[in-house]
Amino acid sequence: MSAKTVQGPGGKKPASAATNLIAGGGAGMMEALACHPLDTIKVRMQLSRRQRGKGQGRRGFIKTGVEIAKKETPLGLYKGLGAVLTGIVPKMAIRFTSYEWYKQLLASKEGQVSGGANFMAGLAAGVTEAVAVVCPMEVVKIRLQAQHHSMSDPLDVPKYRNAAHACFTVVKEEGIASLYRGVTLTALRQGTNQAANFTAYTELKEILQQRQDDPSAPLPSWKTSIIGLISGAVGPFSNAPIDTIKTRLQRNPAEPGQTALNRITSIASQMWKQEGIRAFWMGITPRVMRVAPGQAVTFAVYEYLKGVLEKGREMLPGNEYQE
């Protein structure tokens, strides 16, 4: 079945919400376990500042990763994983379920989905996941990842011990609204990410399916991984400045009387004056290396689990297809 339709294989009904929730959640868990170290390196690079006057440039992503592993043990690369796992399963479940829902909402009467409708469905799905899950999760994750402590030294006690403690401490000291610090930038980043991601994925999937002997047959997992890898790299290049400003905004508590817009403009202005335009793209290499393989894993696992679940849904007494 064409990638640009809301119908399931063989013209059957589209996958149920339960199928999308389970397949999306499983895909998110596998993606986090495989790619989280690269996200920690990305955050450290975005939070670093140029050491002016010392003749020292910025550390690259390999050197940053090695330094984290040496000073904080390899487990330091997994700081914030608890927050990510807690959030990524519902995030991916919400992403795929809401995307399919928006896609059906925007489809034509014949069930066809245009490129523009697909883009808008991805945009809306990204904003939905940002508000529902991503922003609070990332505030907690960034607070944990920003701590420079050794995980092998029991005497080196950090301010935030784990995801639950970090969430409790942030809410206690700064209020529950602090978990939504940077929500506008997060929604903008996630929206543009998923709009580009789903649009590129759908277009590439359509091309590969049409070149098969049976265009209605599902793609093999290795092809799904490749187009997921390519589509996953599109978003980060287009919205890297948003992600960098968001990371710095979420790292520290807000100053009394300072609005979100004032903080955003202040951070952007300081970066421009003190670090130059390259600072807005700091961490782009590990971000692409984190997001692109992550999307390869996500789409491959999602499509696989979705196929398995849909086959199980079809195998009912009399081989009748039911919801």
Side-chain angles (χ1 to χ4, degrees):
M1 183 56 60
S2 170
K4 295 184 177 181
T5 180
V6 296
Q7 294 178 328
K12 296 185 176 72
K13 293 180 181 179
S16 66
T19 295
N20 289 318
L21 283 167
I22 296 170
M29 183 173 67
M30 292 301 297
E31 186 254 1
L33 292 172
C35 303
H36 187 74
L38 289 168
D39 188 67
T40 299
I41 296 171
K42 180 211 75 168
V43 168
R44 289 293 180 87
M45 290 182 69
Q46 289 178 329
L47 294 177
S48 69
R49 298 179 183 275
R50 187 189 303 275
Q51 298 187 29
R52 303 174 67 87
K54 297 183 180 180
Q56 298 181 14
R58 295 182 182 275
R59 293 188 297 272
F61 76 93
I62 294 179
K63 190 172 181 180
T64 301
V66 170
E67 188 172 286
I68 292 171
K70 286 175 66 177
K71 291 184 177 180
E72 306 168 41
T73 78
L75 289 176
L77 293 168
Y78 284 90
K79 286 179 178 177
L81 179 62
V84 172
L85 282 175
T86 302
I88 201 167
V89 173
K91 179 183 87 169
M92 289 299 184
I94 289 170
R95 173 184 298 178
F96 284 102
T97 305
S98 63
Y99 168 70
E100 293 294 339
W101 186 81
Y102 289 127
K103 195 167 70 168
Q104 292 177 38
L105 194 67
L106 297 169
S108 66
K109 292 181 180 179
E110 295 76 27
Q112 298 299 311
V113 183
S114 66
N118 197 51
F119 181 90
M120 291 305 298
L123 181 69
V127 173
T128 301
E129 70 176 19
V131 176
V133 179
V134 177
C135 191
M137 178 190 76
E138 291 212 340
V139 170
V140 173
K141 175 182 71 72
I142 288 169
R143 296 294 180 94
L144 289 166
Q145 289 175 324
Q147 297 182 133
H148 295 255
H149 70 284
S150 173
M151 298 186 73
S152 63
D153 184 359
L155 299 179
D156 190 1
V157 181
K159 179 178 180 179
Y160 307 116
R161 296 192 294 272
N162 51 50
H165 180 255
C167 183
F168 174 79
T169 304
V170 170
V171 172
K172 182 181 177 181
E173 294 181 353
E174 305 168 40
I176 195 167
S178 61
L179 293 177
Y180 282 89
R181 184 167 299 132
V183 66
T184 303
L185 290 176
T186 303
L188 184 60
R189 185 199 65 177
Q190 293 301 115
T192 53
N193 257 353
Q194 298 318 312
N197 189 18
F198 279 113
T199 301
Y201 180 81
T202 302
E203 295 295 333
L204 292 171
K205 183 179 179 181
E206 175 74 5
I207 292 170
L208 293 181
Q209 280 187 322
Q210 294 304 319
R211 293 186 177 182
Q212 293 186 135
D213 293 333
D214 181 8
S216 65
L219 295 175
S221 295
W222 68 270
K223 286 186 178 181
T224 304
S225 295
I226 290 174
I227 59 178
L229 183 76
I230 296 170
S231 65
V234 175
F237 282 108
S238 63
N239 59 22
I242 297 172
D243 187 57
T244 303
I245 295 171
K246 177 200 70 68
T247 299
R248 297 199 181 189
L249 179 73
Q250 292 176 326
R251 179 190 182 184
N252 298 313
E255 296 292 332
Q258 192 176 34
T259 65
L261 181 60
N262 286 340
R263 290 199 71 203
I264 292 169
T265 54
S266 175
I267 290 170
S269 176
Q270 287 178 9
M271 289 172 63
W272 176 270
K273 293 177 181 178
Q274 298 176 11
E275 304 170 65
I277 193 170
R278 288 184 59 191
F280 291 93
W281 273 267
M282 279 308 300
I284 186 64
T285 301
R287 187 179 175 213
V288 171
M289 290 186 67
R290 163 71 175 84
V291 173
Q295 291 306 301
V297 172
T298 297
F299 277 113
V301 174
Y302 172 76
E303 297 282 11
Y304 173 77
L305 290 177
K306 184 179 177 181
V308 170
L309 292 168
E310 286 299 286
K311 284 181 181 178
R313 192 172 68 151
E314 291 178 23
M315 297 304 294
L316 295 168
N319 286 326
E320 295 180 357
Y321 184 84
Q322 298 181 16
E323 282 294 334

